[in-house]
Amino acid sequence: MKVTGMLVRNKIKRNHRFGTHGNASYLCTMQILDGKKAAQAIKDDLKIDVAQMVIEGKKAPHLVAILVGNNGASETYVASKVKACEEVGFKSTLIRFEETVYKIRLLEEIEKLNNDPDVDGILVQLPLPKHISNEDVINAIHPDKDVDGFHPVNAGKMMQGLPAFVPATPFGIMLLLKHYKIETNGKHAVVIGRSNIVGRPVSILLSSNSNPGNCTVTICHSHTQNLKEICFEADIIVAALGKPETVTADMVKDGAVVIDVGITRVPDATKKSGFRLKGDVHYEMVAPKCSWITPVPGGVGPMTIAALLKNTFYSCTTKN
Ligand code: GUN
């Protein structure tokens, strides 16, 4: 195909951006942190490892997911986790409970799974109905089977840099940075969000003495007064606040690495599902300023699942 000068220029415009630094002008290239691709590489490796285990007569890793009620997003997440298990040769079991289930019934089931030697990982999909305390349920899972890394024993070990199950989304983010060899050493990372699932653990991992890691980390949250100014200082932004398109171009400095953890369903009548997914970052505005950025979907989401599989594999191979 004959490529005209105009076409070439348009192509360059899409992926490149001219900027200035002091007196020098430079060409900055925006690249995608493709979570789908990186997750596939992890799953391919796991598939080989599991096949080898089975050849050696060992049992395949077994993940049990518990789903309470029928929250649409949770249904989708759990289905993706079960499918990913099948892809790599893990055994998976989905246990469903009605929205109205008593907490005691849930705890009984968890206790049974804790004592079942065939089960390597137990995952209770959050959020739970209001009448059930997340904390009570998380604390009931044996720390050795807590592949979500939410149990205080695992959270404490992770904070001390000891071997532990690391929550899947923060772990997935670290694996993504590693896959794309993103330089984090000495960089200023700004984490927006302080949840136990993402914000807090990812801030610990990014600041830990490791590669990726060794960042100077600032944690921002709903009470942060000058979010825009703080974000503008960041070399790396992790947006995990759960509010769509909060991070706008004026908050991001040229060449920043932007990790978008948000995945909110917003109504969209043009879609068959009736919704589309939006990240916490205004992608169209922000992407041209970045050196690297995660898309939504296809960024952090697939990495979360890959990380969960790695945790389950680790549980199985360190126990048996
Ligand atoms: N809800 C949102 N993220 C997660 C997760 O990583 N694990 C579980 N169990 N529930 C979630």
Side-chain angles (χ1 to χ4, degrees), residues 216-232:
T216 302
V217 178
T218 303
I219 306 178
C220 298
H221 45 75
S222 53
H223 292 249
T224 298
Q225 290 189 349
N226 45 350
L227 182 65
K228 181 179 153 187
E229 288 75 15
I230 295 170
C231 284
F232 200 75

Side-chain angles (χ1 to χ4, degrees), residues 77 81 123-127 148 150 168-169 197 304:
Y77 295 144
K81 291 170 185 180
L123 172 161
V124 179
Q125 188 65 26
L126 303 178
D148 258 330
F150 295 162
T169 300
I197 297 182
T304 296

Side-chain angles (χ1 to χ4, degrees), residues 177 182-192 202-203 206-207 213-220 226-238 251-259:
L177 293 171
I182 304 297
E183 182 61 79
T184 60
N185 194 38
K187 303 289 185 191
H188 181 203
V190 171
V191 176
I192 316 171
V202 85
S203 68
L206 285 169
S207 62
N214 285 326
C215 290
T216 302
V217 178
T218 303
I219 306 178
C220 298
N226 45 350
L227 182 65
K228 181 179 153 187
E229 288 75 15
I230 295 170
C231 284
F232 200 75
E233 294 295 312
D235 302 306
I236 300 166
I237 295 175
V238 179
M251 299 165 76
V252 179
K253 80 173 175 189
D254 276 340
V257 175
V258 174
I259 310 283

Side-chain angles (χ1 to χ4, degrees), residues 22-45:
N23 288 330
S25 56
Y26 61 91
L27 179 69
C28 186
T29 311
M30 184 274 284
Q31 296 184 80
I32 304 288
L33 290 162
D34 187 338
K36 243 174 139 175
K37 229 188 215 170
Q40 192 58 53
I42 291 168
K43 287 191 284 187
D44 289 346
D45 285 349

Side-chain angles (χ1 to χ4, degrees), residues 151-199:
H151 192 285
V153 166
N154 283 312
K157 283 184 177 173
M158 186 195 68
M159 219 195 65
Q160 295 189 351
L162 298 169
F165 291 117
V166 173
T169 300
F171 186 19
I173 291 170
M174 301 307 279
L175 291 169
L176 189 61
L177 293 171
K178 191 173 169 186
H179 181 88
Y180 283 98
K181 301 184 171 61
I182 304 297
E183 182 61 79
T184 60
N185 194 38
K187 303 289 185 191
H188 181 203
V190 171
V191 176
I192 316 171
R194 55 180 165 183
S195 73
N196 288 340
I197 297 182
V198 187

